[in-house]
PDB file of all heavy atoms in Angstrom:
ATOM      1  N   GLN A 260      51.301 113.023 110.235  1.00  0.00           N
ATOM      2  CA  GLN A 260      51.079 114.453 110.047  1.00  0.00           C
ATOM      3  C   GLN A 260      50.083 114.996 111.076  1.00  0.00           C
ATOM      4  O   GLN A 260      50.317 116.043 111.671  1.00  0.00           O
ATOM      5  CB  GLN A 260      50.556 114.737 108.638  1.00  0.00           C
ATOM      6  CG  GLN A 260      51.594 114.541 107.574  1.00  0.00           C
ATOM      7  CD  GLN A 260      51.013 114.732 106.201  1.00  0.00           C
ATOM      8  OE1 GLN A 260      49.945 114.219 105.883  1.00  0.00           O
ATOM      9  NE2 GLN A 260      51.728 115.481 105.366  1.00  0.00           N
ATOM     10  N   ILE A 261      48.999 114.290 111.261  1.00  0.00           N
ATOM     11  CA  ILE A 261      47.952 114.723 112.198  1.00  0.00           C
ATOM     12  C   ILE A 261      48.513 114.846 113.602  1.00  0.00           C
ATOM     13  O   ILE A 261      48.213 115.795 114.330  1.00  0.00           O
ATOM     14  CB  ILE A 261      46.761 113.746 112.154  1.00  0.00           C
ATOM     15  CG1 ILE A 261      46.021 113.882 110.818  1.00  0.00           C
ATOM     16  CG2 ILE A 261      45.834 113.955 113.348  1.00  0.00           C
ATOM     17  CD1 ILE A 261      45.044 112.753 110.523  1.00  0.00           C
ATOM     18  N   MET A 262      49.347 113.909 114.001  1.00  0.00           N
ATOM     19  CA  MET A 262      49.837 113.861 115.371  1.00  0.00           C
ATOM     20  C   MET A 262      51.099 114.694 115.599  1.00  0.00           C
ATOM     21  O   MET A 262      51.562 114.810 116.731  1.00  0.00           O
ATOM     22  CB  MET A 262      50.084 112.409 115.770  1.00  0.00           C
ATOM     23  CG  MET A 262      48.801 111.591 115.764  1.00  0.00           C
ATOM     24  SD  MET A 262      49.057 109.859 116.174  1.00  0.00           S
ATOM     25  CE  MET A 262      49.277 109.998 117.939  1.00  0.00           C
ATOM     26  N   LYS A 263      51.636 115.294 114.573  1.00  0.00           N
ATOM     27  CA  LYS A 263      52.874 116.064 114.715  1.00  0.00           C
ATOM     28  C   LYS A 263      52.599 117.379 115.442  1.00  0.00           C
ATOM     29  O   LYS A 263      51.855 118.227 114.943  1.00  0.00           O
ATOM     30  CB  LYS A 263      53.504 116.343 113.350  1.00  0.00           C
ATOM     31  CG  LYS A 263      54.861 116.987 113.461  1.00  0.00           C
ATOM     32  CD  LYS A 263      55.567 117.018 112.135  1.00  0.00           C
ATOM     33  CE  LYS A 263      57.006 117.465 112.335  1.00  0.00           C
ATOM     34  NZ  LYS A 263      57.756 117.355 111.090  1.00  0.00           N
ATOM     35  N   PRO A 264      53.189 117.572 116.598  1.00  0.00           N
ATOM     36  CA  PRO A 264      52.987 118.828 117.330  1.00  0.00           C
ATOM     37  C   PRO A 264      53.497 120.024 116.526  1.00  0.00           C
ATOM     38  O   PRO A 264      54.565 119.963 115.916  1.00  0.00           O
ATOM     39  CB  PRO A 264      53.820 118.650 118.606  1.00  0.00           C
ATOM     40  CG  PRO A 264      54.013 117.175 118.739  1.00  0.00           C
ATOM     41  CD  PRO A 264      54.039 116.640 117.334  1.00  0.00           C
ATOM     42  N   GLY A 265      52.722 121.071 116.505  1.00  0.00           N
ATOM     43  CA  GLY A 265      53.136 122.301 115.839  1.00  0.00           C
ATOM     44  C   GLY A 265      52.911 122.350 114.351  1.00  0.00           C
ATOM     45  O   GLY A 265      53.250 123.337 113.702  1.00  0.00           O
ATOM     46  N   ALA A 266      52.320 121.296 113.771  1.00  0.00           N
ATOM     47  CA  ALA A 266      52.056 121.297 112.332  1.00  0.00           C
ATOM     48  C   ALA A 266      50.838 122.159 112.021  1.00  0.00           C
ATOM     49  O   ALA A 266      49.888 122.235 112.803  1.00  0.00           O
ATOM     50  CB  ALA A 266      51.817 119.877 111.833  1.00  0.00           C
ATOM     51  N   LEU A 267      50.881 122.813 110.867  1.00  0.00           N
ATOM     52  CA  LEU A 267      49.730 123.549 110.343  1.00  0.00           C
ATOM     53  C   LEU A 267      49.296 122.897 109.046  1.00  0.00           C
ATOM     54  O   LEU A 267      50.100 122.260 108.353  1.00  0.00           O
ATOM     55  CB  LEU A 267      50.092 125.011 110.071  1.00  0.00           C
ATOM     56  CG  LEU A 267      50.294 125.910 111.268  1.00  0.00           C
ATOM     57  CD1 LEU A 267      50.683 127.319 110.813  1.00  0.00           C
ATOM     58  CD2 LEU A 267      49.049 125.961 112.135  1.00  0.00           C
ATOM     59  N   PHE A 268      48.036 123.076 108.710  1.00  0.00           N
ATOM     60  CA  PHE A 268      47.452 122.537 107.481  1.00  0.00           C
ATOM     61  C   PHE A 268      46.890 123.696 106.673  1.00  0.00           C
ATOM     62  O   PHE A 268      46.321 124.622 107.238  1.00  0.00           O
ATOM     63  CB  PHE A 268      46.339 121.538 107.820  1.00  0.00           C
ATOM     64  CG  PHE A 268      46.850 120.300 108.494  1.00  0.00           C
ATOM     65  CD1 PHE A 268      47.171 120.307 109.841  1.00  0.00           C
ATOM     66  CD2 PHE A 268      47.026 119.130 107.776  1.00  0.00           C
ATOM     67  CE1 PHE A 268      47.655 119.174 110.475  1.00  0.00           C
ATOM     68  CE2 PHE A 268      47.512 117.986 108.396  1.00  0.00           C
ATOM     69  CZ  PHE A 268      47.833 118.007 109.746  1.00  0.00           C
ATOM     70  N   ILE A 269      47.048 123.635 105.357  1.00  0.00           N
ATOM     71  CA  ILE A 269      46.506 124.653 104.475  1.00  0.00           C
ATOM     72  C   ILE A 269      45.659 123.969 103.412  1.00  0.00           C
ATOM     73  O   ILE A 269      46.033 122.915 102.882  1.00  0.00           O
ATOM     74  CB  ILE A 269      47.625 125.522 103.853  1.00  0.00           C
ATOM     75  CG1 ILE A 269      47.033 126.711 103.087  1.00  0.00           C
ATOM     76  CG2 ILE A 269      48.571 124.701 103.002  1.00  0.00           C
ATOM     77  CD1 ILE A 269      48.068 127.764 102.696  1.00  0.00           C
ATOM     78  N   THR A 270      44.508 124.571 103.123  1.00  0.00           N
ATOM     79  CA  THR A 270      43.583 123.996 102.146  1.00  0.00           C
ATOM     80  C   THR A 270      42.688 125.092 101.587  1.00  0.00           C
ATOM     81  O   THR A 270      42.675 126.214 102.097  1.00  0.00           O
ATOM     82  CB  THR A 270      42.740 122.872 102.792  1.00  0.00           C
ATOM     83  OG1 THR A 270      42.050 122.163 101.761  1.00  0.00           O
ATOM     84  CG2 THR A 270      41.764 123.419 103.817  1.00  0.00           C
ATOM     85  N   HIS A 271      41.946 124.767 100.549  1.00  0.00           N
ATOM     86  CA  HIS A 271      40.912 125.664 100.051  1.00  0.00           C
ATOM     87  C   HIS A 271      39.642 125.469 100.876  1.00  0.00           C
ATOM     88  O   HIS A 271      39.422 124.384 101.431  1.00  0.00           O
ATOM     89  CB  HIS A 271      40.592 125.366  98.578  1.00  0.00           C
ATOM     90  CG  HIS A 271      41.694 125.734  97.648  1.00  0.00           C
ATOM     91  ND1 HIS A 271      42.507 124.806  97.061  1.00  0.00           N
ATOM     92  CD2 HIS A 271      42.121 126.940  97.219  1.00  0.00           C
ATOM     93  CE1 HIS A 271      43.392 125.422  96.294  1.00  0.00           C
ATOM     94  NE2 HIS A 271      43.180 126.717  96.378  1.00  0.00           N
ATOM     95  N   THR A 272      38.818 126.484 100.927  1.00  0.00           N
ATOM     96  CA  THR A 272      37.540 126.382 101.623  1.00  0.00           C
ATOM     97  C   THR A 272      36.602 125.455 100.852  1.00  0.00           C
ATOM     98  O   THR A 272      36.781 125.215  99.654  1.00  0.00           O
ATOM     99  CB  THR A 272      36.876 127.761 101.773  1.00  0.00           C
ATOM    100  OG1 THR A 272      36.742 128.353 100.473  1.00  0.00           O
ATOM    101  CG2 THR A 272      37.688 128.677 102.683  1.00  0.00           C
ATOM    102  N   LYS A 273      35.609 124.952 101.562  1.00  0.00           N
ATOM    103  CA  LYS A 273      34.629 124.059 100.943  1.00  0.00           C
ATOM    104  C   LYS A 273      33.986 124.767  99.747  1.00  0.00           C
ATOM    105  O   LYS A 273      33.603 125.920  99.826  1.00  0.00           O
ATOM    106  CB  LYS A 273      33.572 123.671 101.968  1.00  0.00           C
ATOM    107  CG  LYS A 273      32.680 122.546 101.503  1.00  0.00           C
ATOM    108  CD  LYS A 273      32.021 121.888 102.687  1.00  0.00           C
ATOM    109  CE  LYS A 273      31.235 120.679 102.299  1.00  0.00           C
ATOM    110  NZ  LYS A 273      32.050 119.529 101.966  1.00  0.00           N
ATOM    111  N   GLY A 274      33.906 124.056  98.647  1.00  0.00           N
ATOM    112  CA  GLY A 274      33.349 124.618  97.414  1.00  0.00           C
ATOM    113  C   GLY A 274      34.406 125.208  96.496  1.00  0.00           C
ATOM    114  O   GLY A 274      34.128 125.507  95.345  1.00  0.00           O
ATOM    115  N   ASN A 275      35.614 125.374  96.995  1.00  0.00           N
ATOM    116  CA  ASN A 275      36.716 125.913  96.183  1.00  0.00           C
ATOM    117  C   ASN A 275      37.844 124.906  96.012  1.00  0.00           C
ATOM    118  O   ASN A 275      38.917 125.253  95.527  1.00  0.00           O
ATOM    119  CB  ASN A 275      37.268 127.194  96.829  1.00  0.00           C
ATOM    120  CG  ASN A 275      36.270 128.311  96.784  1.00  0.00           C
ATOM    121  OD1 ASN A 275      35.776 128.672  95.725  1.00  0.00           O
ATOM    122  ND2 ASN A 275      35.935 128.853  97.945  1.00  0.00           N
ATOM    123  N   GLU A 276      37.606 123.666  96.412  1.00  0.00           N
ATOM    124  CA  GLU A 276      38.650 122.653  96.387  1.00  0.00           C
ATOM    125  C   GLU A 276      39.052 122.279  94.964  1.00  0.00           C
ATOM    126  O   GLU A 276      38.212 122.256  94.075  1.00  0.00           O
ATOM    127  CB  GLU A 276      38.192 121.360  97.081  1.00  0.00           C
ATOM    128  CG  GLU A 276      37.701 121.542  98.490  1.00  0.00           C
ATOM    129  CD  GLU A 276      36.185 121.543  98.566  1.00  0.00           C
ATOM    130  OE1 GLU A 276      35.534 122.155  97.688  1.00  0.00           O
ATOM    131  OE2 GLU A 276      35.658 120.939  99.493  1.00  0.00           O
ATOM    132  N   SER A 277      40.334 121.974  94.805  1.00  0.00           N
ATOM    133  CA  SER A 277      40.791 121.406  93.540  1.00  0.00           C
ATOM    134  C   SER A 277      40.725 119.879  93.608  1.00  0.00           C
ATOM    135  O   SER A 277      40.706 119.217  92.588  1.00  0.00           O
ATOM    136  CB  SER A 277      42.217 121.868  93.215  1.00  0.00           C
ATOM    137  OG  SER A 277      43.086 121.574  94.271  1.00  0.00           O
ATOM    138  N   GLU A 278      40.704 119.346  94.837  1.00  0.00           N
ATOM    139  CA  GLU A 278      40.596 117.903  95.061  1.00  0.00           C
ATOM    140  C   GLU A 278      39.458 117.667  96.062  1.00  0.00           C
ATOM    141  O   GLU A 278      39.712 117.382  97.234  1.00  0.00           O
ATOM    142  CB  GLU A 278      41.908 117.349  95.594  1.00  0.00           C
ATOM    143  CG  GLU A 278      43.064 117.530  94.628  1.00  0.00           C
ATOM    144  CD  GLU A 278      44.366 117.043  95.204  1.00  0.00           C
ATOM    145  OE1 GLU A 278      44.550 115.811  95.252  1.00  0.00           O
ATOM    146  OE2 GLU A 278      45.178 117.883  95.613  1.00  0.00           O
ATOM    147  N   PRO A 279      38.208 117.796  95.615  1.00  0.00           N
ATOM    148  CA  PRO A 279      37.077 117.671  96.541  1.00  0.00           C
ATOM    149  C   PRO A 279      37.129 116.380  97.357  1.00  0.00           C
ATOM    150  O   PRO A 279      37.410 115.309  96.829  1.00  0.00           O
ATOM    151  CB  PRO A 279      35.854 117.691  95.622  1.00  0.00           C
ATOM    152  CG  PRO A 279      36.314 118.432  94.410  1.00  0.00           C
ATOM    153  CD  PRO A 279      37.768 118.042  94.252  1.00  0.00           C
ATOM    154  N   GLY A 280      36.925 116.518  98.649  1.00  0.00           N
ATOM    155  CA  GLY A 280      36.879 115.371  99.534  1.00  0.00           C
ATOM    156  C   GLY A 280      38.147 115.133 100.325  1.00  0.00           C
ATOM    157  O   GLY A 280      38.109 114.569 101.406  1.00  0.00           O
ATOM    158  N   ARG A 281      39.294 115.528  99.805  1.00  0.00           N
ATOM    159  CA  ARG A 281      40.565 115.231 100.478  1.00  0.00           C
ATOM    160  C   ARG A 281      40.610 115.833 101.881  1.00  0.00           C
ATOM    161  O   ARG A 281      40.955 115.162 102.849  1.00  0.00           O
ATOM    162  CB  ARG A 281      41.755 115.710  99.673  1.00  0.00           C
ATOM    163  CG  ARG A 281      43.081 115.406 100.378  1.00  0.00           C
ATOM    164  CD  ARG A 281      44.253 115.952  99.602  1.00  0.00           C
ATOM    165  NE  ARG A 281      44.407 115.216  98.365  1.00  0.00           N
ATOM    166  CZ  ARG A 281      45.357 114.318  98.148  1.00  0.00           C
ATOM    167  NH1 ARG A 281      46.232 114.046  99.085  1.00  0.00           N
ATOM    168  NH2 ARG A 281      45.446 113.694  97.010  1.00  0.00           N
ATOM    169  N   THR A 282      40.273 117.095 102.016  1.00  0.00           N
ATOM    170  CA  THR A 282      40.319 117.741 103.328  1.00  0.00           C
ATOM    171  C   THR A 282      39.360 117.052 104.287  1.00  0.00           C
ATOM    172  O   THR A 282      39.718 116.768 105.440  1.00  0.00           O
ATOM    173  CB  THR A 282      39.998 119.242 103.213  1.00  0.00           C
ATOM    174  OG1 THR A 282      40.993 119.858 102.374  1.00  0.00           O
ATOM    175  CG2 THR A 282      39.995 119.920 104.570  1.00  0.00           C
ATOM    176  N   GLU A 283      38.161 116.755 103.830  1.00  0.00           N
ATOM    177  CA  GLU A 283      37.180 116.074 104.687  1.00  0.00           C
ATOM    178  C   GLU A 283      37.661 114.692 105.098  1.00  0.00           C
ATOM    179  O   GLU A 283      37.438 114.265 106.230  1.00  0.00           O
ATOM    180  CB  GLU A 283      35.813 115.999 104.001  1.00  0.00           C
ATOM    181  CG  GLU A 283      35.110 117.340 103.937  1.00  0.00           C
ATOM    182  CD  GLU A 283      34.925 117.990 105.304  1.00  0.00           C
ATOM    183  OE1 GLU A 283      34.534 117.297 106.264  1.00  0.00           O
ATOM    184  OE2 GLU A 283      35.203 119.200 105.408  1.00  0.00           O
ATOM    185  N   HIS A 284      38.340 113.989 104.196  1.00  0.00           N
ATOM    186  CA  HIS A 284      38.882 112.664 104.540  1.00  0.00           C
ATOM    187  C   HIS A 284      39.908 112.778 105.659  1.00  0.00           C
ATOM    188  O   HIS A 284      39.895 111.984 106.606  1.00  0.00           O
ATOM    189  CB  HIS A 284      39.525 111.996 103.327  1.00  0.00           C
ATOM    190  CG  HIS A 284      38.546 111.639 102.257  1.00  0.00           C
ATOM    191  ND1 HIS A 284      38.949 111.338 100.975  1.00  0.00           N
ATOM    192  CD2 HIS A 284      37.197 111.537 102.255  1.00  0.00           C
ATOM    193  CE1 HIS A 284      37.886 111.056 100.236  1.00  0.00           C
ATOM    194  NE2 HIS A 284      36.808 111.183 101.000  1.00  0.00           N
ATOM    195  N   VAL A 285      40.799 113.762 105.554  1.00  0.00           N
ATOM    196  CA  VAL A 285      41.822 113.952 106.588  1.00  0.00           C
ATOM    197  C   VAL A 285      41.167 114.350 107.904  1.00  0.00           C
ATOM    198  O   VAL A 285      41.517 113.836 108.970  1.00  0.00           O
ATOM    199  CB  VAL A 285      42.885 114.978 106.138  1.00  0.00           C
ATOM    200  CG1 VAL A 285      43.807 115.358 107.291  1.00  0.00           C
ATOM    201  CG2 VAL A 285      43.695 114.428 104.965  1.00  0.00           C
ATOM    202  N   LEU A 286      40.190 115.258 107.852  1.00  0.00           N
ATOM    203  CA  LEU A 286      39.520 115.687 109.086  1.00  0.00           C
ATOM    204  C   LEU A 286      38.736 114.548 109.727  1.00  0.00           C
ATOM    205  O   LEU A 286      38.728 114.423 110.961  1.00  0.00           O
ATOM    206  CB  LEU A 286      38.607 116.882 108.809  1.00  0.00           C
ATOM    207  CG  LEU A 286      39.325 118.184 108.461  1.00  0.00           C
ATOM    208  CD1 LEU A 286      38.322 119.252 108.050  1.00  0.00           C
ATOM    209  CD2 LEU A 286      40.199 118.651 109.609  1.00  0.00           C
ATOM    210  N   SER A 287      38.110 113.707 108.939  1.00  0.00           N
ATOM    211  CA  SER A 287      37.387 112.554 109.489  1.00  0.00           C
ATOM    212  C   SER A 287      38.351 111.577 110.147  1.00  0.00           C
ATOM    213  O   SER A 287      38.078 111.057 111.235  1.00  0.00           O
ATOM    214  CB  SER A 287      36.609 111.828 108.383  1.00  0.00           C
ATOM    215  OG  SER A 287      35.565 112.630 107.920  1.00  0.00           O
ATOM    216  N   TYR A 288      39.479 111.333 109.496  1.00  0.00           N
ATOM    217  CA  TYR A 288      40.481 110.435 110.068  1.00  0.00           C
ATOM    218  C   TYR A 288      41.059 111.040 111.346  1.00  0.00           C
ATOM    219  O   TYR A 288      41.268 110.339 112.338  1.00  0.00           O
ATOM    220  CB  TYR A 288      41.570 110.138 109.040  1.00  0.00           C
ATOM    221  CG  TYR A 288      42.589 109.133 109.502  1.00  0.00           C
ATOM    222  CD1 TYR A 288      42.202 107.914 110.061  1.00  0.00           C
ATOM    223  CD2 TYR A 288      43.934 109.391 109.384  1.00  0.00           C
ATOM    224  CE1 TYR A 288      43.139 106.989 110.489  1.00  0.00           C
ATOM    225  CE2 TYR A 288      44.887 108.472 109.801  1.00  0.00           C
ATOM    226  CZ  TYR A 288      44.485 107.279 110.354  1.00  0.00           C
ATOM    227  OH  TYR A 288      45.413 106.358 110.779  1.00  0.00           O
ATOM    228  N   ALA A 289      41.309 112.334 111.335  1.00  0.00           N
ATOM    229  CA  ALA A 289      41.806 113.015 112.540  1.00  0.00           C
ATOM    230  C   ALA A 289      40.816 112.836 113.692  1.00  0.00           C
ATOM    231  O   ALA A 289      41.215 112.565 114.832  1.00  0.00           O
ATOM    232  CB  ALA A 289      42.033 114.497 112.258  1.00  0.00           C
ATOM    233  N   ALA A 290      39.530 112.950 113.398  1.00  0.00           N
ATOM    234  CA  ALA A 290      38.512 112.757 114.431  1.00  0.00           C
ATOM    235  C   ALA A 290      38.551 111.334 114.977  1.00  0.00           C
ATOM    236  O   ALA A 290      38.416 111.123 116.190  1.00  0.00           O
ATOM    237  CB  ALA A 290      37.132 113.090 113.876  1.00  0.00           C
TER     238      ALA A 290
END
C-alpha cells in the first residue's frame, strides 16, 4: 500500500482516532 503510486490514505486526526496508534504505526513503517 505504501509503495503503490497514486494511492491516498484517509484517517482521523490525532486525538480523534477510533484505533489509536494505527496511523502512527503505518507512518513509522513508511519512514
Side-chain angles (χ1 to χ4, degrees):
Q260 289 176 314
I261 290 166
M262 297 178 76
K263 187 169 189 173
L267 288 179
F268 293 79
I269 188 168
T270 191
H271 291 105
T272 56
K273 191 160 186 74
N275 293 305
E276 305 101 319
S277 55
E278 298 177 76
R281 180 183 292 255
T282 299
E283 288 304 316
H284 293 164
V285 170
L286 291 173
S287 292
Y288 185 49

